Amino acid sequence: MTSNERIKLFRNSLNLSQQKFADSLNISRGYLNDIERGRQEPSFNFIKCLNEVYNVNLNWLLKGHGEMYEEIQTPKKTQAIIEMIESLNDSQKQKIYAVIEDEKRFNEMEKRVNQLNQLIGTMKTA
């Protein structure tokens, strides 16, 4: 099995369409399609991004050795945040949770506004 085939296998294991997978890696669906079909070799930046975003085991991806995922190690900053949150009382934790939920909703609204702006832009040029 080639690394190109393993990339497709990995994407399918996540139950992601090519478009959603490409979006998550900030690449075009066409580029991903070319990689998966073996028409193009994945770039170093693509492989690096795949590892950073999904924690895929590079030894498995490139050579087919080992497990699909690397052992997850929590980054120091993330661990420090977890420890800070664990030291809070329930009321404080609830406030942080609410802020995070608000941020998620804001990001989703911002994404929709950008999509609408793109649609309006295409309508103006038509």
Side-chain angles (χ1 to χ4, degrees):
M1 181 182 289
T2 67
S3 60
N4 302 64
E5 292 167 324
R6 281 188 289 279
I7 290 168
K8 183 175 183 177
L9 177 67
F10 180 74
R11 176 181 62 80
N12 287 332
S13 77
L14 299 171
N15 283 330
L16 292 176
S17 67
Q18 279 188 339
Q19 188 63 58
K20 287 189 185 282
F21 191 60
D23 289 346
S24 74
L25 298 170
N26 224 8
I27 61 170
S28 73
R29 191 200 61 74
Y31 175 63
L32 177 61
N33 187 49
D34 286 347
I35 290 172
E36 288 186 356
R37 291 179 177 253
R39 290 186 282 218
Q40 188 163 346
E41 290 301 313
S43 70
F44 171 79
N45 286 336
F46 171 82
I47 291 169
K48 181 179 173 202
C49 185
L50 191 58
N51 175 258
E52 290 171 356
V53 172
Y54 290 105
N55 206 41
V56 66
N57 179 350
L58 296 180
N59 200 27
W60 172 82
L61 182 67
L62 299 173
K63 298 178 182 177
H65 299 255
E67 299 298 319
M68 190 179 282
Y69 292 95
E70 289 184 347
E71 183 179 320
I72 296 174
Q73 296 182 0
T74 306
K76 289 181 182 179
K77 285 184 181 179
T78 303
Q79 187 59 42
I81 291 168
I82 291 169
E83 289 171 7
M84 282 186 237
I85 291 172
E86 287 174 345
S87 71
L88 301 175
N89 65 40
D90 287 342
S91 175
Q92 292 168 320
K93 288 177 186 177
Q94 188 60 36
K95 288 176 185 175
I96 289 176
Y97 180 80
V99 168
I100 293 169
E101 286 298 313
D102 287 346
E103 182 67 18
K104 285 170 50 179
R105 281 192 293 275
F106 174 80
N107 288 338
E108 185 58 35
M109 285 191 301
E110 187 176 43
K111 182 179 174 182
R112 289 181 183 174
V113 167
N114 288 336
Q115 290 171 339
L116 286 171
N117 284 334
Q118 288 176 348
L119 180 61
I120 290 168
T122 58
M123 292 170 68
K124 286 181 179 178
T125 59

